[in-house]
Amino acid sequence: MLVENNSAKHGQALSRSEAAIVGKAAPDEVRRYLPAFPIYKKTPLLELPGLARSLGLAGIAVKDEGQRYGLFSFKALGGAYAVARLVLEHAQKQLCRSLTPAQLLDGDVQAVARGMTVCCATDGNHGRSVAAGAQMFGCRCVIFLHSGVSAGREAAIAAFGAEIRRTDGNYDQSVAEASATGKAEGWTVVSDFSSEGYTEIPGTVMQGYAIMLDEIVHQSTAPYTHVFVQGGVGGLAAVVSGHLLDRFGTERPRIIVVEPSRANCLQLSAQANRRLAMEAGDATVMAMLECYEPSLVAWDILEKSADFYLDVSDDTAVEALRRFAKPLEGDPVLKIGESGAAGLAGLEVAMADPTIRNRLGLNAKSRVLLIGTEGATDPELYEKLLKDGTAAFAAAGH
């Protein structure tokens, strides 16, 4: 199903606060903190000429976030960045003096940070970033994982010294438990999901992603006509679409937000023209996108800047994963996970359906940008999906 954004706000300029989070100047603020991240480097933007020819397009490029910070996901840019800002703020209050981001790595600052606890709920990637940031800057970390998070992803988070707490139910229920526990314990909740009364920290997480858009703009060899970007709670999609709106205005590419058919809360919200939660159903193989309610800050930006919403099946996502892993001649071999491949799945669905293809204006002149949001964050599951498809997901009890 393809749903067009018919909001009365569509195309309006971002507010000052929204622009501060995702706009053209947001990457400059993120760069101020790079001295605290000496391992920072740009991830590659790769052309896929063979795939473009096979689909009848002028070009396809993919931003490979599987190499980001060694955490295998674009989320590395958000959670750890938010932790850095929070620790700096806490340390300045405790030490009664101004500090630079580079001083986050100093012993006296980290000694103060040890009195601070950060927590969050996660499907895997955001929690890994928060845990990595906590370890890097010296504070305690507690991560809440719902029943659908694999053992492999749990182990990857625990490797950063985080305490793991398993919760019943789905992602949204784990978010509620993390929030309630954090409030009761006096911990700082570093969530990428915003709601009424809780927007500042999720906005900071989103701001961290903005540097990826700045990289893309400077790495691109020609303008894009279309961007297929993953949905989830909407954070990444809002950064991509909001940044391009603020930077290019009416000259921006068309933004198509891609979601699992089993967890398409953004699409359903766009259809209803209001932010709404959906009932949880069967688990999707695209675990990083298994969300049932849009983030408030993200939704407000998406109403202005996203153009279409498209849902894809689990089988299509796994086929896209395989397409990256076993490419056509001339294209690079890419290890992009099942959620990271959702954008390509959306593109292939669109190209296979004449009605959708024509409605999106995809043709021989189109240049498409994809975001490979994650690598093989669960290597064992990745190999099984590569070999056995969604049958491997079903065999795991989903």
Side-chain angles (χ1 to χ4, degrees), residues 226-346:
H226 299 75
V227 181
F228 285 74
V229 59
Q230 288 82 331
V233 298
L236 173 65
V239 174
V240 172
S241 60
H243 186 86
L244 295 175
L245 170 64
D246 195 52
R247 196 157 196 158
F248 298 114
T250 57
E251 300 301 312
R252 72 190 187 279
R254 283 187 171 177
I255 306 295
I256 301 94
V257 180
V258 181
E259 297 178 278
S261 298
R262 297 176 181 178
N264 58 333
C265 62
L266 297 172
Q267 185 185 57
L268 295 177
S269 294
Q271 194 172 40
N273 229 342
R274 62 184 177 87
R275 187 173 77 100
L276 53 80
M278 62 181 288
E279 288 189 18
D282 293 336
T284 171
V285 72
M286 292 166 274
M288 303 302 105
L289 306 179
E290 190 173 321
C291 308
Y292 301 103
E293 182 178 1
S295 171
L296 176 61
V297 172
W299 177 249
D300 288 345
I301 294 171
L302 286 168
E303 277 198 293
K304 296 177 178 180
S305 56
D307 297 306
F308 293 92
Y309 296 83
L310 179 64
D311 63 305
V312 297
S313 69
D314 280 16
D315 285 334
T316 309
V318 173
E319 284 307 308
L321 174 153
R322 289 170 163 171
R323 180 90 71 168
F324 280 128
K326 300 175 181 179
L328 296 172
E329 185 177 355
D331 290 354
V333 175
L334 295 171
K335 185 176 282 190
I336 293 177
E338 55 277 14
S339 298
L344 175 56

Side-chain angles (χ1 to χ4, degrees), residues 144-217:
F144 293 78
L145 302 180
H146 62 87
S147 57
V149 178
S150 69
R153 292 192 171 101
E154 176 181 343
I157 296 169
F160 289 100
E163 177 188 334
I164 305 296
R165 297 194 183 184
R166 282 284 183 174
T167 70
D168 295 327
N170 59 32
Y171 169 76
D172 297 68
Q173 290 166 308
S174 69
V175 168
E177 186 164 337
S179 178
T181 304
K183 184 176 181 180
E185 296 287 347
W187 300 340
T188 302
V189 181
V190 187
S191 178
D192 57 354
F193 178 83
S194 61
S195 55
E196 293 290 346
Y198 180 73
T199 59
E200 185 175 351
I201 291 175
T204 301
V205 172
M206 289 171 60
Q207 186 182 60
Y209 305 154
I211 199 168
M212 180 181 69
L213 271 295
D214 196 57
E215 291 176 7
I216 290 171
V217 168

Side-chain angles (χ1 to χ4, degrees), residues 64-94:
D64 183 9
E65 287 295 300
Q67 302 180 43
R68 185 70 74 176
Y69 286 172
L71 300 182
F72 312 112
S73 165
F74 82 98
K75 295 268 186 170
L77 292 168
Y81 169 71
V83 171
R85 293 190 68 111
L86 290 164
V87 170
L88 188 69
E89 180 182 327
H90 174 73
Q92 287 180 147
K93 289 179 180 177
Q94 295 298 310

